Amino acid sequence: MAINDTRESVQRVVDELFAQGILTAHVEATLERPKSREHGDYATNVALVAAKSSSLPPRELAHQIAERLSADPAFTDVSVAGPGFVNIRLSAQTQGEIAERVVHLGSGYGRNDALLGKSFNVEFISANPTGPLHLGHTRWAAVGDALARVLAAAGADVTTEFYINDRGVQMDKFGASVMAAASGEAVPEDGYHGGYILDLAAQINREHPEFRQLPAEEQLVAFREEAYALQWQQQKDVLELFRTHFDVWYSERKLYDSGAVERAQARLEEQGHVFESEGALWLRTTTFGDDKDRVLIKENGERTYFAADTAYYVDKRMRGFDTAIYLLGADHHGYVNRLRAVAACAGDDMDENIEILIGQMVKITRGGVEVKLSKRSGQIVTLEELVEEVGVDAARYTLARYPVETPLVVDLEEIARKANDNPVFYVQYAHARISSVLRNAEDIGAKWRESEFIPELLNSDQENELLGVIEKFPAVIATAAELREPHRVARFLEELASAYHGFYDACRVLPRSDEELGSVHIARLWVCAATQQTLANGLELLGVSAREKM
RNA sequence: GCGCCCGUAGCUCAACGGAUAGAGCAACCGGUUUCUACCCGGUAGGUUGGGGGUUCGAUUCCCUCCGGGCGCACCA
């Protein structure tokens, strides 16, 4: 029996009490998994909530509900506890059926329709193409990609997008830095100083010796464009290595070339929020909660970076997305109000059509000593270096298992040294362990799939616990998607792995050498297969590999 | 000065307004003749930064103070 069926049973009882006048208001029943298993498989606080609209005290009301629920054969035990909780325990048979269902659903288990019909544009990283991606970007790579996968698993239509800031002063500084390095000159004081600049310069010198014969101005453009192409490719390669896929790479230049900037301005003017003052063109964002109005076109006729931001937002909406989700670092939180105001100025609902997730910074330590990050001074820890030290699985998992609003401290030495203590290995090990058991089952000819599955044989505490955890998976995905918190999937996997290890320790799966293969072994093999499938599906959402062996 | 985020066990962090605040690491004690011990069980460790409020119930919501991080451009 799924959680929804149980909830409906409770709802029916509540409705009955309403019909009989014991309750004077209609109350929506909610069901939850108690933290403690001692409280049963499910619990409802409906009596506590409904007590206000009843003449009965909460506990008395709870007893009335419990008494009626007891009549349902799917429940073996219904009791009242604490201030008025109703605890429900399912029969082993009802509970055990989940294993069969999971195996049959396969990689589709967990998918649900919580966000069916909604379309999202998820934008993250969006780094300048003037250097390698560093550890800060890596967090958004892991979280953004996992979020996109989770939203899709909840039935949403999702497009991932990377915005390339390939226009403006920084690009020229980048070009000038590479050009200087290529001529063996000192990089300008306000340029980029990392070792990668020297590498880019060397490569361009090798492949395009003719560049240095060009007049200074043309030479700058040539170096800038070539360095941009190489650096962008490098970013794409590294993200590919990191299993982070972008459906769209959106260039700021394209925004201008396609006329999107003018279109956005026209849209904002139609809505009546644009005005002229002091020789500049402004957007009245203060109407919608911003601290100050923002300039779109400067006194000197140039468009601001903000103008591009507005155009980009409007363009996303014109491409048909219901909601534009932005993942931004805490150093950009000042943008939240103005971006939301942009949405409102464009005539949209700023609570519905735009969502900005602010992620806190990742502090890096090495042996307890903080590593300062600064791209321009060249002191960086790159995504690539992190992957080399700890691997893609550990990196992705470690960064995805915390809520983004948590400032994170990652010690590189610790991750590298204690790789085996990382929760990702604990989860992967559970998957590998099951794979081994199933291989052994095949070796001894245990054809569990073709054998009768008798769910009521799964009646130990550990089996009940494990099945209960497996059953939560679709709800976990739905919650993770609705709250935009993919870390919930990782936490769930740790709980699931723990429940499996506990089961494995207490319940022998395969027959011992002196035993015959029996129905209990078959039933437990179904449980193993269901657990393995759930682990694999969850790891897939995080972009972490489900290993067959370790 | 104004604004946003954070403050939970020695450390890194969980806990969509629920029951006795939980995991991992570190510390201590125990467990495997047989399916992967990279595992399992147990002990110890807390005024959830302080103080008010909201309600059946607050780590969670509101106010205030303290501490830390980050932002407050006709920069990009």
Side-chain angles (χ1 to χ4, degrees):
Chain A
M1 173 172 296
I3 185 166
N4 285 329
D5 301 325
T6 308
R7 183 186 295 120
E8 278 166 28
S9 300
V10 175
Q11 189 65 56
R12 271 197 300 278
V13 168
V14 173
D15 291 345
E16 216 173 282
L17 292 172
F18 177 60
Q20 293 173 7
I22 296 173
L23 290 178
T24 57
H26 183 77
V27 178
E28 200 71 29
T30 58
L31 207 64
E32 62 185 26
R33 285 273 173 189
K35 278 184 199 163
S36 165
R37 292 301 287 178
E38 291 166 26
H39 297 139
D41 296 317
Y42 294 110
T44 178
N45 63 352
V46 70
L48 289 164
V49 177
K52 273 178 211 149
S53 59
S54 163
S55 54
L56 299 173
R59 273 193 69 97
E60 182 53 37
L61 188 57
H63 275 293
Q64 295 252 359
I65 294 168
E67 198 177 318
R68 289 161 203 251
L69 280 174
S70 308
D72 194 322
F75 310 137
T76 51
D77 185 44
V78 183
S79 58
V80 176
F85 291 99
V86 177
N87 295 331
I88 300 167
R89 197 171 290 281
L90 302 180
S91 69
Q93 181 184 351
T94 305
Q95 178 90 312
E97 285 161 1
I98 181 71
E100 201 171 20
R101 196 160 71 243
V102 172
V103 172
H104 288 146
L105 286 170
S107 61
Y109 179 60
R111 294 192 63 87
N112 59 80
D113 56 4
L115 298 178
L116 194 64
K118 298 209 65 175
S119 70
F120 294 92
N121 177 287
V122 184
E123 183 205 332
F124 54 105
I125 305 183
S126 296
N128 292 335
T130 55
L133 299 173
H134 58 69
L135 196 49
H137 299 127
T138 310
R139 185 174 195 182
W140 315 135
V143 173
D145 188 59
L147 174 62
R149 294 179 193 224
V150 166
L151 292 172
D157 200 35
V158 183
T159 296
T160 53
E161 193 153 320
F162 188 120
Y163 181 64
I164 312 166
N165 296 127
D166 54 5
R167 208 172 159 278
V169 182
Q170 292 303 322
M171 287 299 287
D172 287 334
K173 287 182 180 174
F174 175 55
S177 301
V178 176
M179 185 171 83
S183 315
E185 294 166 16
V187 169
E189 191 61 31
D190 62 349
Y192 292 86
H193 294 272
Y196 70 96
I197 293 290
L198 300 176
D199 296 340
L200 286 169
Q203 186 177 349
I204 294 173
N205 272 341
R206 204 162 54 239
E207 294 170 1
H208 296 283
E210 74 278 10
F211 280 8
R212 295 182 52 199
Q213 310 306 320
L214 296 169
E217 203 159 311
E218 286 175 42
Q219 191 174 149
L220 175 62
V221 172
F223 271 99
R224 187 188 67 203
E225 292 308 299
E226 190 60 21
Y228 166 26
L230 291 172
Q231 191 59 61
W232 182 27
Q233 190 58 49
Q234 194 269 348
Q235 288 186 357
K236 285 197 282 194
D237 290 345
V238 171
L239 287 169
E240 192 65 32
L241 177 73
F242 203 60
R243 301 179 203 138
T244 297
H245 171 74
F246 285 95
D247 300 313
V248 177
W249 291 80
Y250 204 102
S251 150
E252 185 184 354
R253 292 177 183 174
K254 181 181 158 195
L255 207 53
Y256 278 84
D257 298 344
S258 67
V261 176
E262 286 80 6
R263 280 199 298 279
Q265 189 182 322
R267 167 82 168 272
L268 295 169
E269 280 171 357
E270 273 169 37
Q271 297 290 325
H273 301 295
V274 177
F275 67 99
E276 267 182 68
S277 174
E278 301 166 42
L281 195 70
W282 299 68
L283 185 65
R284 203 181 302 280
T285 52
T286 49
T287 309
F288 301 104
D290 196 5
D291 303 335
K292 58 187 77 170
D293 293 324
R294 306 288 170 177
V295 172
L296 289 166
I297 300 180
K298 299 184 228 176
E299 204 174 355
N300 65 12
E302 284 175 29
R303 289 181 195 275
T304 58
Y305 195 83
F306 174 71
D309 285 343
T310 63
Y312 189 34
Y313 168 77
V314 171
D315 184 73
K316 282 178 182 171
R317 291 280 291 137
M318 285 175 131
R319 281 186 277 149
F321 298 108
D322 296 330
T323 304
I325 297 182
Y326 293 72
L327 267 82
L328 299 180
D331 53 341
H332 288 80
H333 76 250
Y335 288 32
V336 174
N337 282 341
R338 81 184 67 161
L339 279 175
R340 281 163 50 79
V342 164
C345 285
D348 286 344
D349 180 340
M350 64 182 189
D351 293 319
E352 187 67 31
N353 301 122
I354 189 166
E355 281 180 33
I356 300 152
L357 307 181
I358 293 300
Q360 296 301 307
M361 311 307 263
V362 180
K363 191 159 96 177
I364 305 154
T365 57
R366 189 172 250 132
V369 182
E370 181 169 357
V371 178
K372 291 285 184 188
L373 297 186
S374 166
K375 198 190 309 193
R376 289 179 201 177
S377 69
Q379 263 277 13
I380 54 177
V381 175
T382 65
L383 195 164
E384 211 170 4
E385 288 164 356
L386 179 73
V387 168
E388 276 168 24
E389 277 195 50
V390 305
V392 176
D393 284 343
R396 283 196 64 133
Y397 192 93
T398 302
L399 291 166
R401 75 184 284 264
Y402 303 103
V404 286
E405 65 264 27
T406 304
L408 203 53
V409 179
V410 174
D411 191 289
L412 295 177
E413 271 184 20
E414 196 169 326
I415 291 181
R417 187 179 67 244
K418 300 182 181 174
N420 287 349
D421 296 332
N422 192 304
V424 66
F425 290 97
Y426 181 80
V427 174
Q428 286 183 311
Y429 177 65
H431 187 274
R433 202 178 210 188
I434 298 170
S435 301
S436 173
V437 171
L438 294 178
R439 278 194 301 271
N440 293 339
E442 199 169 331
D443 289 345
I444 64 168
K447 299 197 184 313
W448 54 275
R449 273 177 184 279
E450 289 81 40
S451 307
E452 189 192 4
F453 171 60
I454 307 174
E456 57 263 43
L457 294 175
L458 303 169
N459 55 13
S460 70
D461 286 349
Q462 288 78 6
E463 286 160 330
N464 172 270
E465 163 80 21
L466 177 56
L467 291 164
V469 176
I470 291 172
E471 210 271 326
K472 287 199 297 188
F473 188 47
V476 168
I477 292 178
T479 303
E482 282 161 357
L483 300 178
R484 323 287 188 242
E485 292 184 348
H487 77 275
R488 288 173 185 277
V489 174
R491 300 292 169 164
F492 166 79
L493 289 174
E494 288 162 35
E495 188 185 351
L496 177 57
S498 172
Y500 180 77
H501 289 309
F503 156 81
Y504 180 89
D505 197 59
C507 304
R508 176 77 196 189
V509 177
L510 295 175
R512 294 162 196 269
S513 51
D514 58 342
E515 287 178 325
E516 290 292 310
L517 181 71
S519 298
V520 172
H521 303 122
I522 297 295
R524 288 177 178 167
L525 281 164
W526 278 91
V527 173
C528 286
T531 308
Q532 183 193 41
Q533 185 69 61
T534 307
L535 286 168
N537 294 358
L539 286 168
E540 173 68 24
L541 291 176
L542 301 176
V544 175
S545 61
R547 306 182 58 174
E548 302 281 328
K549 289 180 179 175
M550 297 201 68

